[in-house]
Amino acid sequence: MSSRIIPVDPFDYVVFGATGDLSQRKLIPALFHRFIDQQFDTNSRIIGVSRSEMTDEEFQAFAINSVREFVDAALIEDDQLQEFSSCFSYIANDVTDKDGWAELDAALRDDPKVVRAFYLAVAPFLFEPICDYLATRNYWTPDARVVLEKPLGRDLESSIDINDTVAKVFREEQVYRIDHYLGKETVQNLLALRFANTLFEPIWNSAHIDHVQITVAESVGSGGRSYYEQSGALRDMVQNHMLQLLCLVAMEPPASDEANALRDEKLKVLRALKPINGDAVEKLTVRGQYRGVSSDETKVPGYLEELGDGVTSNTETFVAIKAEVENWRWNGVPFYLRTGKRMATRASEIVIQFREIPHSIFSRTEGTPKANRLVIRLQPDEGVKLFLMIKDPGPGGMRLRQVPLNLSFADTFIQRTPEAYERLLMDVVRGNQTLFMRRDELEAAWRWIDPIREAWDNDASKLHGYTAGTWGPTASIALIERDGRTWHEEADDPKSL
């Protein structure tokens, strides 16, 4: 069965920061995929805005080069690529310059049938001048949308300031805060698994689930990026991506799949998270920073080496947290969160570990039943595995063996799996906010994160080193093993998952 492509209305997508890395690596390739799937055509336009001096033709060449570099060559036809690039135009504009907006005024179409979207792929301090000028120049319309890229603050206070700035111009129903993890097919499939089947919901609670693990591991380093030095793993990954995954696992069934019904339930989870502060921070959290590896076979720089000679930093590149959701469904069920750079492999997964059976009818020689486990693989090799106990085939009596029921997206679905930004960019045009964070969600996440961040800032000695290419500091192993559990690390061999 092939996927059904639903065309969107014609649009004017204005991308501020259009010549940046995000635009080149993610936005333009995502738009190209939607174009060749005929979700939009040349009646829609992408208007790039940046400080660099560039002609329309040069920006079109920039888009073509982006597609050739970041899209599978087998999907590119020259005629289609040229047609796609014709949607692009460019305006050189320093957004802090009040006199530099006339060209944008002329470029936007005054047609109520054309959706108007503004993508702010710029630093948050530029949100205010951009939103102010959009309002004063009458670029704002009741149906206009604004897309906000992270980081949306460094803490609760700065997040409130950013949201207040945007709210002066745009109503909440016009604001689309992107978390690209929510656009991943496997993440959306978590909703389908839970709420489109009767199999899981009756056992999706503390009576049957022992614990939950959420891992987002990256094999690459920070590359010495100044952004990462200012954010660290807690702000960069936990506050948004990982808490959103936790919400989708833990939330109650919403009344519908309407955006606010879903986000209401996620907000309840965030508000039910048990606070981690004071002495609990040391007990329930681990932060680490990767160290380099040097041998005859390989040489990998450590985080400090990537920053430069003589630089010191307490920025964490690894975080592990034991979280709890204090409500009836999840009372006593720990949620173990783990994320880091320079880890053993690149893998993002959610593990639902069920409880052991209450009584085994089998003898020791026949084998000990292992608890069932549901593994949802987000990347790479997207898929779902449910581990069950069966009889090992063959004569000689009963022998128990744990095997997986495996749903591999690549094997099951013939068509290419869309990237997250493809779905999210088109959802903005459709006016569908389901996969975007609401303001109260964002601020609830910061309220939970801030006490951890503050405790770390006040005690720099608790930064654990770990060797690049491993699963993080030994303290993170102790965090889960003192509860009699262990991290699920079959992910170091994707074929074994």
Side-chain angles (χ1 to χ4, degrees), residues 154-157 234-235 239 243 270 273-285 287 321 442-459:
R154 290 180 50 80
D155 51 26
L156 177 60
E157 182 179 3
L234 187 69
R235 292 188 180 105
Q239 184 273 332
L243 286 186
L270 291 168
L273 284 171
K274 184 178 181 179
I276 299 178
N277 48 37
D279 294 340
V281 174
E282 183 175 354
K283 181 180 178 182
L284 301 176
T285 73
R287 58 174 172 155
I321 298 176
L442 178 66
E443 293 175 1
W446 278 121
R447 284 189 182 91
W448 189 73
I449 287 292
D450 276 356
I452 301 174
R453 177 79 267 167
E454 291 167 5
W456 287 355
D457 289 344
N458 292 330
D459 189 357

Side-chain angles (χ1 to χ4, degrees), residues 20-71:
D21 187 65
L22 176 69
S23 176
Q24 183 180 24
R25 295 175 63 89
K26 296 295 184 181
L27 303 186
I28 292 174
L31 288 167
F32 177 73
H33 281 299
R34 295 300 90 223
F35 182 83
I36 63 175
D37 279 349
Q38 300 181 354
Q39 199 156 16
F40 72 92
D41 57 25
T42 53
N43 288 318
S44 294
R45 301 186 307 183
I46 299 99
I47 304 168
V49 180
S50 192
R51 288 181 299 179
S52 305
E53 290 295 333
M54 190 180 288
T55 64
D56 287 351
E57 291 75 18
E58 288 171 330
F59 188 50
Q60 289 167 4
F62 176 86
I64 289 172
N65 290 336
S66 170
V67 170
R68 292 201 182 280
E69 183 172 359
F70 296 106
V71 174

